[in-house]
Every structure is written in structure tokens, then in C-alpha cells.
Amino acid sequence: FEASKAFTIIFNVEVTMEEEEGKHLQVRLNSKEEKYAVGDSPFSIPSNFGCEALSSLVNDLLAANDAGRSAVEFDFLLVDELLRTSLEESIAERQLSSEITLDLVYFPKNQAPESEGQIVVNDWISSVDCFGSYILSGSYNNNAYIWYRGSGQCLGSVEHQSSLKSVAWIRQGGSETPLFITGAVDESLSMYQFFPEEGVCRCLHTFVGHGRSVDCLAVDQLGKRFCSASWDRSIRVWSAVPDGLSEAAAANGNSKRMKPCSDAGAAPPTERQALITLTGHSEAVSSIAWLDSGSIASASWDHCIKLWDLDTASHTATLAGSNVFNSISYSPLSRLLASGNTDRFVRLWDPRSETAVVQKMLRFHTGWVSTVDWSPTNEHQLVSGSFDKTVCQWDIRSPKAPLFSMTGHSDKVMCVNWSEADLIASGGADSQLRLYKT
């Protein structure tokens, strides 16, 4: 990058500031993408510059070498936190010296999610999970529905005897007839196989053991096992591999195409018992998450997150909170747990830490945080839903404000899902399933 051009641009910036009398700071601008790099030399920049002014400066520097380049909006990172105020305010907040050279890392700003429309069901939507072009939702009207993402068409449904509290896909690679599980208020827990061509869902297995409502489900990354948790305060681990399919075949996505319900000779569902039963919570278990293939985390109304080792079927640690936990989600990328509680905050926890201390709090919601889910591809981003009717997309490096707040729900948000990298789904007490393309 030519130093003379850089000097001219900085000089012009300073002149157009109408002889700005404020302080200037020495700032080094760094990009991990070569096409956006402006060199290693520090610049003297007015201390009242914020994100917008810095973004304009970087674009001017880049245009000096390529006049035809389109402008790009950038975000800036200072000491592992996104810049949301002026440089002067930011260094004061972080207690940094104005005499040092500041290192700012910049990258293209996230684009706002675009609405892909909504699907209306005739009762509260308690749970949602996305898998490719299929969207699975559970509702208080006793039904699980499978929707096609492109059109919003209902491809199939399963009716239960009571309200559904949780649904989840069992991801098995490129299975042509995917599997899913449902948990309901009447203690029932079932596995189904979906046949898209016929629009049929066949019940393969029922799972017996819970004594109260089955409130949450989580499937391991390989699709071999899943766990369920209940109002009865227990957690149970089950095989997710249907009869006649080996674990190796399930992990590779080689599921057999069984006969749908309408076919003559289709076998009735078989009953299964839990592989492992875990007890220790003193109140209802509200959420569960897999940490890896051998450990899980559970959150409860007893104000605790408990960590469990499945190889020994034992409790290994407790993360104590100050109020009820509504939801947890684990990111294998950041290795952090996010929690939503009966207050306004999203909290981040490190399950590896020997001290049960909150690592960070994300502040924006004005009502209970009912649901959280991490991005499957970005270690810094997650989504949350709240009783304040909003869905927020967060970068955890900006704890005081979300990247985007999505409005549209007219009642409390009850579930969010970010299983597919380019799709956020949310369901609420307004009976709406809303989709956002990211």
C-alpha cells in the first residue's frame, strides 16, 4: 500500500473534520482478508471516530489503489469486543491508554436477516427444528408438522393425545426418509420416520420411562443417541438408531427405506427402555444439550445447570444461577454454554471452568429469555427469543446490543432454532412460525 496515498487520505480526512480540535489516536488497521488489507503502518485518527467513520476511512484507503471498488460496510474489533461507540469512549470503557497504538481488526459487517415469511398454526408453537429444506414444529394443538421451507407447504403431520413440548430431527447425513422424535405433556416420547413422497410419518418406536411431561429433547451430533428431560426431574438417554440399522450405518446416513404406515405389512411401533437415567435436579428439567458424545448439560427450574458424564452415569459439576433456567445451548466451536433465564439476560458459561462464574451477559431483552440457540457455523453468534416478542441475533463480542433485533411476533416467543446456517426459525404464543434468511 502506497504511503503517499495513505497520507493524502488521512490529511483530507483531518481537513474535512473542520479543523477538529479533539484528540487524535494512533491506530493500526488490520484485516485477516488480504483483499481488504491497508498495510501495517499506524494512522493518526480523530478520537471521536466510530464505526461508520472508520468504515468510510478504510473504503477510501482501498479505493486509492482501486478506484472501481465497491464500498463495504465494516465492523471493528477492539480488544475482543466490537466497537459500538467512539474510539475515545471505547478506550475509556476498556481503561486503555490513549498514548498507545490501538490495534483494530476489521471485517465485513453482517447483513441483516431477511424475512422468508411466516406459517400460521392454530395454537402456540412450543418447539421448532430445521433440517435441510424441512422444518419440524410442535404445537399445543397436539400436532407435529413438517413444512417445506421453499413454499411453506405442510408435507406431513402427526397427531398426539396431548400438547407437544419438544420436537427434534435425528440427523443422519443424507437420509432420504429422515427420522424425528416428539415429546408431549402426556409423558409420551416417540420416534417417527418421514416419507416425503407419500407425505406419511410412520411411528417406529415409543420410549417408556418418564412420569410427567417430556419438556425437552436433544440429539447427539452423530444421530446415535438422544436425551430427554421431564417435569419429573429426570434425564434419560436413549438409542436413536431404529431397529434393523446399525450405529455405523446411522452415523453414515445409510438409513433403510421402511414401509410407510399405509403400506400393508408395516410393523407396529416397538417399545424401548432408557439406556441411562440421570437424577439430581430438585425441580423440573427445562433444557438439555450435548457437550460431546460422552457428556451432556441439563438446566432446571432449581436455578442450576448440571454437567453429566454418560460413561459413568454421574454428575460432574454444577453451575449455579440466581433464577430459573428456561433454555441452554452449547457451541462446540466456542465451547461455551448459553442460557436464557426468567430475567432479561442471556448468560454465557464455560463448562470447562472450575469456577461456576458467568463469563459474559448479553443485555437487550426486556422480558424473560425463553429460548437460545448457537449458530452452527460461527463461534461468536447465537440467537435468542424472549417474552418481549423479539428474536435477537447476537455477536457475543457485542454484549450490550444485538447485531439485529427481529420483530414480527405479536406475543411471546417460545422457541428459536439455528440448525441450518442460513436459516433462523422462531415460534410463538401468537401461533406464528417465522423464518429469517441469514
Side-chain angles (χ1 to χ4, degrees), residues 49-51 54 75-78 81-88 90-91 94 104 397-398:
F49 266 32
C51 233
L54 287 166
D75 251 330
F76 295 82
L77 201 62
L78 176 62
E81 195 165 308
L82 290 177
L83 195 68
R84 289 295 179 257
T85 58
S86 69
L87 287 171
E88 186 173 26
S90 294
I91 65 172
R94 295 163 176 74
L104 287 181
R397 299 168 297 183
S398 176

Side-chain angles (χ1 to χ4, degrees), residues 198-432:
E198 295 86 357
V200 170
C201 301
R202 173 189 166 194
C203 186
L204 302 181
H205 302 293
T206 57
F207 302 84
V208 179
H210 283 300
R212 302 286 296 276
S213 170
V214 181
D215 290 346
C216 48
L217 301 168
V219 183
D220 72 5
Q221 291 184 329
L222 295 178
K224 292 182 178 180
R225 293 188 292 180
F226 72 91
C227 49
S228 60
S230 167
W231 192 266
D232 67 10
R233 299 177 288 182
S234 74
I235 302 146
R236 296 171 193 263
V237 181
W238 318 81
S239 171
V241 180
D243 288 349
L245 185 67
S246 69
E247 286 197 358
N252 291 327
N254 299 322
S255 64
K256 291 183 178 180
R257 181 177 175 82
M258 302 178 185
K259 294 180 179 180
C261 295
S262 57
D263 286 0
T270 57
E271 194 173 279
R272 285 186 170 182
Q273 302 294 324
L275 303 174
I276 303 168
T277 299
L278 305 170
T279 57
H281 284 291
S282 58
E283 297 289 347
V285 184
S286 53
S287 189
I288 42 180
W290 287 84
L291 305 181
D292 55 42
S293 61
S295 59
I296 61 172
S298 60
S300 169
W301 283 29
D302 64 10
H303 301 192
C304 290
I305 296 174
K306 290 186 180 292
L307 309 182
W308 306 86
D309 184 318
L310 299 185
D311 292 332
T312 60
S314 61
H315 164 243
T316 58
T318 297
L319 308 177
S322 57
N323 46 36
V324 166
F325 285 95
N326 293 321
S327 175
I328 56 172
S329 177
Y330 179 71
S331 169
L333 302 176
S334 66
R335 302 179 72 182
L336 293 174
L337 269 170
S339 70
N341 297 66
T342 51
D343 59 14
R344 299 175 290 117
F345 309 118
V346 176
R347 292 173 172 82
L348 304 182
W349 310 77
D350 185 351
R352 300 162 297 172
S353 174
E354 295 182 359
T355 58
V357 178
V358 175
Q359 303 293 308
K360 193 173 287 188
M361 294 174 66
L362 311 182
R363 309 164 187 265
F364 178 79
H365 287 298
T366 57
W368 289 6
V369 180
S370 50
T371 173
V372 292
D373 201 18
W374 283 97
S375 163
T377 57
N378 191 318
E379 64 182 299
H380 303 297
Q381 293 190 15
L382 59 86
V383 64
S384 63
S386 169
F387 280 14
D388 66 11
K389 309 175 190 177
T390 64
V391 174
C392 289
Q393 181 182 345
W394 296 89
D395 188 307
I396 64 174
R397 299 168 297 183
S398 176
K400 294 183 180 178
L403 292 177
F404 307 104
S405 176
M406 287 84 86
T407 57
H409 283 288
S410 59
D411 205 337
K412 55 183 176 283
V413 178
M414 302 184 69
C415 55
V416 294
N417 178 262
W418 201 352
S419 296
E420 296 295 316
D422 66 340
L423 179 66
I424 292 172
S426 64
D430 57 2
S431 306
Q432 293 184 45

